[in-house]
Amino acid sequence: MDRRAFLGTATAAAAALAFPAVLRAQTRDPVKIGFPIPLTGPFGAIAEDMQRGATLAMEQVNARGGVLGRKLEVLFRDDQLKPAVGAQRTKELIENDRVQFVVGGIAAHVQMAINEQTKKAGVLFISVSQSDEISAKPDTSPITFHEALNPTITGRAMAAWAVQNLGKRWWIVYADYAWGKQNNAVFSDIIKKHGGTVLESTPYPLGNPEFSAHLPKIQAARPEVLLSVAPGADSVAFLKQAISFGLKKDVKLVQPLHILPYNRQGGAELFSDVYGATSFYWELEDTIPQAKSFVEAFRKRFNTVPDAYGSYGYSGIHEVARGVAVAKSLDSEAVAKALRANPTYSHYKSKQWWRACDNKAFQDLWITRGRPASAVRGDWGLLEIIARIPANEELDRTCAEKGHA
């Protein structure tokens, strides 16, 4: 063998020996999931709950050996509740951190900005925000999934129950942004369809919860039900002001959602006899085995209980892992197809499923009421479950109404 032939053979042998090492290194790389949420600002308590749920899911998947032999890594980023920041953080996660998937987004307007980035990059996105438009054209895409409830589902379920059980003369106060407007439209429609009347709908600027100018007018109109579509810490401010005007004595107070961290922040006395809906409440552990397992693991890991948004984060991460395992691929389109072809799942409560036309998750929800202080269970038992609303695709807009053929 001459020197040139020897060097060629040696180089080829070295490459052959090196290749398995590279392959091994590649297979040790984690599967990365970007998770933009508002870790700071008025939704911080919700974001913390969601971060804990996603972290617990990641740790559980990794304890079982990961997916396709690789660990999961969830990268959390603060979107500051601003669409431009949410878009920038998502772009950085995709281009700099090389995430393969994105889960997250709490505020409806921010998740839309996140979705634009994931669509552009061809990255599967599971939204955990309450939004109607994320699963409708032109905003959605074949790789956009929506795990959370939306205002149409929550509003139709909550409004129908409340008109029949609490009263027919309503006044609505809502935050003047996407989620608030969507809830106002859905509640108004359902109240009228069930024979009720909306005396007036009053918008207010999100994050500026000053209602004293409106409350005397509401009191004078004497509604039977007062709906406040005030998210996060705004809900606490609204109730304090409404109760200070004496409205709680004469009016049934309703919210679209009960968010447990804000119930606790406001206290039992403030939230007692206030009605709302939720996709998950920790006391479901008393009746649903999956909920019991989830709550026990969450409590052991974080020394507290999960709420609805923590559950969304938990389920979103598990769904990415399930989709990757079923597809045997990290390709977003392959994972999306696998989830649509295998739509049923149950990670923490009763059965859920993806609707094929719009990648929308359907799930049970519950009507809850704030307990009086004397009946509170421990630190977090602030609510009692009044009714279960079974998962039903008829609670949402149809595929045709969302623009899907």
Side-chain angles (χ1 to χ4, degrees):
M1 179 180 294
D2 61 24
R3 183 174 183 276
R4 179 174 296 179
F6 170 78
L7 289 175
T9 302
T11 301
L17 288 171
F19 181 72
V22 171
L23 190 60
R24 285 196 298 274
Q26 288 175 340
T27 56
R28 286 195 297 270
D29 291 341
V31 175
K32 294 183 179 179
I33 303 173
F35 208 113
I37 45 173
L39 294 166
T40 56
F43 287 2
I46 303 175
E48 183 181 28
D49 181 46
M50 184 173 278
Q51 184 176 26
R52 285 170 171 166
T55 299
L56 178 61
M58 175 190 71
E59 292 173 352
Q60 289 178 339
V61 171
N62 287 339
R64 295 198 297 260
V67 288
L68 305 183
R70 299 164 64 169
K71 296 288 188 183
L72 277 188
E73 182 181 0
V74 181
L75 286 70
F76 299 98
R77 297 291 184 271
D78 185 5
D79 66 31
Q80 300 176 23
L81 206 59
K82 299 174 182 175
V85 176
Q88 182 61 33
R89 295 291 92 82
T90 303
K91 190 170 187 289
E92 292 166 358
L93 283 163
I94 294 170
E95 296 182 356
N96 301 342
D97 297 300
R98 303 291 182 186
V99 301
Q100 288 96 347
F101 308 99
V102 172
V103 179
I106 291 179
H109 57 323
V110 180
Q111 56 133 32
M112 302 304 279
I114 294 170
N115 188 47
E116 288 306 307
Q117 296 300 315
T118 54
K119 285 194 299 184
K120 190 184 304 181
V123 171
L124 183 141
F125 173 43
I126 296 183
S127 165
V128 286
S129 166
Q130 287 236 4
S131 166
D132 275 330
E133 300 311 316
I134 192 69
S135 58
K137 288 187 175 180
D139 297 298
T140 191
S141 80
I143 54 172
T144 302
F145 285 69
H146 187 217
E147 166 69 16
L149 296 174
N150 64 32
T152 296
I153 295 173
T154 305
R156 287 179 176 179
M158 187 72 214
W161 182 89
V163 171
Q164 295 169 21
N165 291 280
L166 301 180
K168 294 188 180 298
R169 286 167 49 84
W170 288 59
W171 192 294
I172 300 174
V173 176
Y174 67 95
D176 193 11
Y177 78 118
W179 182 74
K181 292 177 180 177
Q182 290 164 357
N183 269 286
N184 176 54
V186 173
F187 269 86
S188 296
D189 178 55
I190 298 302
I191 290 166
K192 292 170 186 172
K193 284 182 176 175
H194 285 77
T197 301
V198 178
L199 302 174
E200 190 167 321
S201 293
T202 305
Y204 81 93
L206 174 65
N208 186 20
E210 174 51 56
F211 306 99
S212 58
H214 305 295
L215 293 172
K217 187 177 177 182
I218 297 172
Q219 196 168 37
R222 305 184 65 179
E224 293 175 285
V225 182
L226 174 55
L227 170 68
S228 62
V229 190
D234 286 9
S235 66
V236 175
F238 175 83
L239 287 176
K240 285 181 177 177
Q241 294 174 48
I243 292 170
S244 73
F245 271 78
L247 283 167
K248 201 171 188 179
K249 292 185 298 184
D250 305 317
V251 180
K252 298 294 185 184
L253 299 177
V254 172
Q255 300 177 335
L257 298 168
H258 270 308
I259 307 295
L260 200 53
Y262 296 108
N263 288 71
R264 190 161 186 253
Q265 178 183 326
E269 186 173 346
L270 191 73
F271 278 92
S272 66
D273 289 325
V274 176
Y275 294 83
T278 185
S279 61
F280 186 79
Y281 179 52
W282 68 274
E283 290 186 16
L284 291 170
E285 69 174 350
D286 295 339
T287 55
I288 301 176
Q290 297 97 319
K292 181 177 176 61
S293 298
F294 171 51
V295 173
E296 284 182 350
F298 197 100
R299 189 186 281 119
K300 181 178 180 181
R301 176 67 173 82
F302 301 109
N303 196 32
T304 188
V305 297
D307 194 35
Y309 279 87
S311 310
Y312 290 147
Y314 180 81
S315 191
I317 295 300
H318 271 299
E319 271 304 275
V320 170
R322 188 177 74 91
V324 169
V326 173
K328 296 182 172 56
S329 171
L330 297 180
D331 178 76
S332 284
E333 291 188 5
V335 173
K337 288 179 181 176
L339 292 176
R340 283 191 292 272
N342 301 270
T344 304
Y345 58 101
S346 177
H347 298 301
Y348 70 100
K349 56 177 184 180
S350 42
K351 183 183 77 172
Q352 297 180 230
W353 68 89
W354 299 111
R355 184 164 66 178
C357 72
D358 59 354
N359 297 336
K360 175 80 194 79
F362 287 86
Q363 59 195 287
D364 294 347
L365 68 154
W366 289 265
I367 307 297
T368 51
R369 178 175 60 195
R371 285 183 170 126
S374 59
V376 169
R377 288 179 57 187
D379 291 334
W380 291 100
L382 295 151
L383 305 174
E384 59 179 328
I385 296 171
I386 303 298
R388 169 179 168 263
I389 309 295
N392 185 347
E393 293 186 12
E394 293 182 359
L395 287 172
D396 198 7
R397 290 182 293 168
T398 66
C399 297
E401 288 171 331
K402 290 185 174 184
H404 300 284

